[in-house]
Amino acid sequence: GQNIDQPTEMTATEGAIVQINCTYQTSGFNGLFWYQQHAGEAPTFLSYNVLDGLEEKGRFSSFLSRSKGYSYLLLKELQMKDSASYLCAVRGRGSQGNLIFGKGTKLSVKP
Amino acid sequence: SQTIHQWPATLVQPVGSPLSLECTVEGTSNPNLYWYRQAAGRGLQLLFYSVGIGQISSEVPQNLSASRPQDRQFILSSKKLLLSDSGFYLCAWSTYRQPIEQYFGPGTRLTVT
């Protein structure tokens, strides 16, 4: 079967660092994506990992370990506007770009 | 630049009524197109995808259908809505050459009463 697990909710303080974990079990692997979704809005693309290691993009970084079926999204210098749901998604091998999404992690940033 | 449009933004329909949601993409040719549904407390569920005009693949059996009458137009339909069809419907596109990230439209919030 195919399964993607993320924590349901997390809370962090403004200015701090937070790590959102994602574990996956899929039939084939051709990339892992992180999306940000503010309440009532569409998801927006944050990052893409296909090889093991860390990808850094400003305040956001994403890590992948294919052997462990594990990824995390790291958010630094948290801002109030970072309060949103963060979706982990995996693309299987040979698909037409089809993504399998986790249920998302709702992050609340408090002052 | 590419943009994706969806309408309507919100919709309230009674059980048993028909449905038609439309999605159009601008600024790109021959995109892959996708319909997702996001129900409360659940993740994004892929409903249909299309790699070209008239080519539709269904991921989940249901009372919904999709059509792609033009290269950049994707339509989601139902003949008779069920209560369980309520949710947030999202259209997305990706390039056909490198189907890496998908770009989502603004979504339609459907409430079936």
Side-chain angles (χ1 to χ4, degrees), chain B residues 6-113:
Chain B
Q6 281 187 249
W7 62 92
T10 59
L11 192 60
V12 180
Q13 292 282 97
V15 168
S17 63
L19 174 74
S20 181
L21 302 181
E22 189 163 343
C23 169
T24 59
V25 181
E26 296 177 357
T28 187
S29 295
N30 199 20
N32 290 341
L33 295 173
Y34 310 85
W35 276 113
Y36 289 89
R37 177 171 59 204
Q38 189 174 38
R42 301 185 63 180
L44 278 169
Q45 181 185 35
L46 179 63
L47 301 175
F48 300 95
Y49 70 92
S50 171
V51 299
I53 296 174
Q55 300 179 61
I56 309 294
S57 296
S58 174
E59 290 290 301
V60 181
Q62 59 219 313
N63 70 320
L64 299 172
S65 62
S67 62
R68 185 170 177 175
Q70 299 181 43
D71 181 44
R72 289 170 287 180
Q73 184 185 29
F74 206 20
I75 297 172
L76 183 69
S77 304
S78 174
K79 292 182 180 178
K80 287 186 178 182
L81 283 169
L82 307 172
L83 284 175
S84 58
D85 291 325
S86 293
F88 192 38
Y89 287 82
L90 291 154
C91 180
W93 74 273
S94 68
T95 64
Y96 75 92
R97 292 190 184 89
Q98 286 186 309
I100 303 180
E101 63 264 33
Q102 294 180 10
Y103 302 94
F104 287 85
T108 295
R109 187 159 303 281
L110 171 66
T111 303
V112 182
T113 60

